Amino acid sequence: DSGVTQTPKHLITATGQRVTLRCSPRSGDLSVYWYQQSLDQGLQFLIQYYNGEERAKGNILERFSAQQFPDLHSELNLSSLELGDSALYFCASSVSGGLAKNIQYFGAGTRLSVL
Amino acid sequence: DAKTTQPTSMDCAEGRAANLPCNHSTISGNEYVYWYRQIHSQGPQYIIHGLKNNETNEMASLIITEDRKSSTLILPHATLRDTAVYYCIGPLLPQGGSEKLVFGKGTKLTVNP
C-alpha cells in the first residue's frame, strides 16, 4: 500500500459528460502529480500541484483541469469527454517540490471508460 | 527531457538474478536515476534510485557505471511476482520546479517458472 488513495477505482460514462477523479496523497506529502496511461501513449505526465499551487503542466488538454485543496487532496476534472479519454489515471505524491531527489508514490489508479 | 534506453523485453528463470540494463548517457553530475516498475496496470511502484554509488535496498540493487552513463537494476532472486514492466527514469529535471517523471516504454520482464 503506497498510502496514496484514489477514488473511484472504475468509472464508466458517456461521451460529452464530465467526471471528477479524486486523490488523497500520503500524509505529509505536499506535491501531487497526475498521470494518464492509455494503450497507445504510455504513461504521460499531466499536471503537478505543490502545496495548493499549480507547479507544472504537461500534456493536459484544455478540457481537463485540476486543483489541490487546503487539506492537500487533489481533484482532476475531465469534461466534454471523448472516446479517446478512456485510460488509466494515476495520482502520485511526494514530500517535496523543487529538489533533484524526489520519490513519487503512486495510487492504484482510476480506470475511466468513455462509451 | 533526458532520455533513457532500455531493452524492450527480457526473460528470467524463477530464482535466478534478473539484470535489467539502462543507458542514460545524457545524465549530468548531480542528477539521480530512478527505477520504477508497473505490475499489470497497477500503479507504478518505486524500486530504487542512485546518484553515483551502488545502492541496495530490500527490493533490489542498483549498479551505476563510473561514468554514470548506464546502470543495471538487479533483482537477486526473481519470483513470478516480479513479472512487470520496469522503467529506468532519467534525472528529474526541475524545470520551473517540476519533478515530473518521464516514462519511456520500459523493459517487460517475464519471470518463468
Side-chain angles (χ1 to χ4, degrees):
Chain A
D1 182 6
S2 67
V4 178
T5 304
Q6 289 188 249
T7 56
K9 285 187 169 45
H10 302 278
L11 204 46
I12 302 174
T13 189
T15 54
Q17 296 297 305
R18 171 189 168 93
V19 296
T20 297
L21 282 54
R22 182 188 168 99
C23 171
S24 294
R26 294 189 323 150
S27 176
D29 285 359
L30 298 180
S31 273
V32 170
Y33 310 77
W34 287 96
Y35 293 84
Q36 178 192 54
Q37 186 173 33
S38 56
L39 279 175
D40 57 346
Q41 292 291 332
L43 272 156
Q44 300 277 321
F45 168 74
L46 293 179
I47 196 164
Q48 176 196 358
Y49 277 81
Y50 174 71
N51 202 21
E53 300 289 327
E54 181 184 301
R55 179 64 69 99
K57 271 187 174 181
N59 301 319
I60 188 166
L61 300 172
E62 286 192 11
R63 300 183 285 108
F64 296 0
S65 64
Q67 54 185 329
Q68 186 179 27
F69 294 87
D71 67 352
L72 299 177
H73 91 271
S74 178
E75 292 181 356
L76 180 66
N77 300 296
L78 314 177
S79 62
S80 302
L81 285 167
E82 302 175 359
L83 296 177
D85 298 327
S86 296
L88 277 165
Y89 292 84
F90 291 106
C91 167
S93 73
S94 69
V95 171
S96 62
L99 299 179
K101 181 174 69 171
N102 185 20
I103 298 170
Q104 294 182 26
Y105 294 89
F106 285 75
T110 293
R111 182 178 293 277
L112 174 66
S113 298
V114 182
L115 306 179
Chain B
D1 295 329
K3 284 181 67 72
T4 60
T5 305
Q6 300 177 254
T8 302
S9 63
M10 295 183 66
D11 284 278
C12 176
E14 189 177 19
R16 304 297 295 270
N19 298 288
L20 291 87
C22 177
N23 182 297
H24 34 80
S25 57
T26 60
I27 199 170
S28 64
N30 62 347
E31 294 170 329
Y32 288 81
V33 174
Y34 289 75
W35 284 82
Y36 284 75
R37 73 180 182 184
Q38 187 175 26
I39 299 171
H40 188 58
S41 297
Q42 295 179 19
Q45 178 188 25
Y46 164 78
I47 301 173
I48 199 167
H49 71 281
L51 182 61
K52 58 177 77 172
N53 298 318
N54 298 336
E55 303 287 345
T56 295
N57 63 20
E58 65 279 4
M59 289 184 69
S61 295
L62 178 62
I63 307 297
I64 303 175
T65 58
E66 194 167 337
D67 64 7
R68 302 189 65 241
K69 293 186 185 300
S70 64
S71 61
T72 300
L73 179 74
I74 301 172
L75 307 178
H77 305 286
T79 71
L80 299 179
R81 288 174 296 181
D82 292 321
T83 292
V85 178
Y86 287 77
Y87 297 98
C88 166
I89 297 173
L92 301 181
L93 302 175
Q95 296 164 343
S98 172
E99 299 76 43
K100 64 179 182 180
L101 295 175
V102 180
F103 289 86
K105 295 190 185 305
T107 296
K108 168 66 175 170
L109 175 69
T110 302
V111 181
N112 300 303

